[in-house]
Amino acid sequence: MLLSAKRVSPGGKAYGLDMTDEMLALARENQKKAGVENVEFLKGEIENIPLPESAVDVVISNCVINLSADKDRVFQEAFRVLRPGGRFAVSDVVVNGEVPAEIRRNMELWVGCVAGALRDSEYISKLSNAGFKGVSIEPTRVYKLDDARQFLAAQGIDADSIAPQVEGKFISAFIRATK
């Protein structure tokens, strides 16, 4: 958030949101060290953002939305707090296509934060249902089977046998949309 604060327009403000006192205290400590004054850290959850309607120009997030159990609510809240013409610009893990449930569970163990990752088509649909337009998903990293080979072997899984079902299916991506 401190980097984002440097990119807002003159007189603008960046908001950081976290649900834990410990992370908010760390953020405020880092803010003080950096000498950044145009940031406000709020306690709350992404399913219920403690800001008024049409309060911000851009909503950003880095690999947090996939941790929420109620993504529809997250997208509705993002839409609510954005001004008309505002931008949704997040980085998240996305599942690119179909992956069998059993294989997905094993890959989730490896990647860690993919347990709640949406399929690409679900992400687009949910953002559109919340009212967003121009939804796009731009892959920034495609996780290869070789990235997980050692982990899978330790779990007793033959990586070569599942390769056709997972190769290129888990990606990190920029997801963008507008209100």
Side-chain angles (χ1 to χ4, degrees):
M1 194 50 46
L2 298 176
L3 292 175
S4 296
K6 295 176 182 179
R7 300 178 73 190
V8 300
S9 61
K13 182 183 271 192
Y15 295 97
L17 177 67
D18 201 283
M19 60 185 198
T20 66
D21 291 328
E22 296 79 17
M23 288 304 294
L24 289 168
L26 179 61
R28 290 180 182 123
E29 183 180 316
N30 289 334
Q31 175 187 8
K32 191 178 289 185
K33 287 178 185 175
V36 177
E37 295 182 17
N38 64 335
V39 175
E40 183 177 342
F41 292 100
L42 308 170
K43 186 171 184 178
E45 299 175 349
I46 60 173
E47 298 87 356
N48 190 23
I49 301 170
L51 287 170
E53 189 172 315
S54 300
V56 299
D57 294 316
V58 182
V59 169
I60 62 172
S61 169
N62 187 11
C63 209
V64 173
I65 293 171
N66 62 8
L67 302 176
S68 172
D70 190 352
K71 291 168 187 58
D72 290 322
R73 181 73 183 148
V74 171
F75 299 143
Q76 291 164 1
E77 276 293 279
F79 191 83
R80 181 187 69 78
V81 301
L82 280 170
R83 291 184 179 110
R87 297 180 296 124
F88 178 89
V90 306
S91 178
D92 215 342
V93 174
V94 178
V95 180
N96 187 18
E98 293 286 338
V99 177
E102 181 180 329
I103 293 171
R104 182 174 168 137
R105 279 191 297 276
N106 286 313
M107 294 302 288
E108 287 168 359
L109 292 174
W110 168 62
V111 179
C113 67
V114 303
L118 292 172
R119 283 185 41 221
D120 47 3
S121 58
E122 289 176 299
Y123 224 119
I124 293 168
S125 176
K126 287 179 179 294
L127 282 168
S128 296
N129 289 342
F132 286 98
K133 304 291 183 212
V135 180
S136 68
I137 297 176
E138 176 189 341
T140 56
R141 178 177 182 186
V142 177
Y143 294 97
K144 303 291 184 185
L145 191 61
D146 283 341
D147 296 330
R149 190 173 296 280
Q150 184 176 0
F151 172 84
L152 294 170
Q155 302 299 313
I157 300 165
D158 176 20
D160 293 328
S161 68
I162 67 168
Q165 299 172 65
V166 298
E167 187 68 29
K169 297 288 184 166
F170 295 92
I171 64 172
S172 290
F174 288 132
I175 300 97
R176 295 180 180 99
T178 57
K179 177 173 181 178

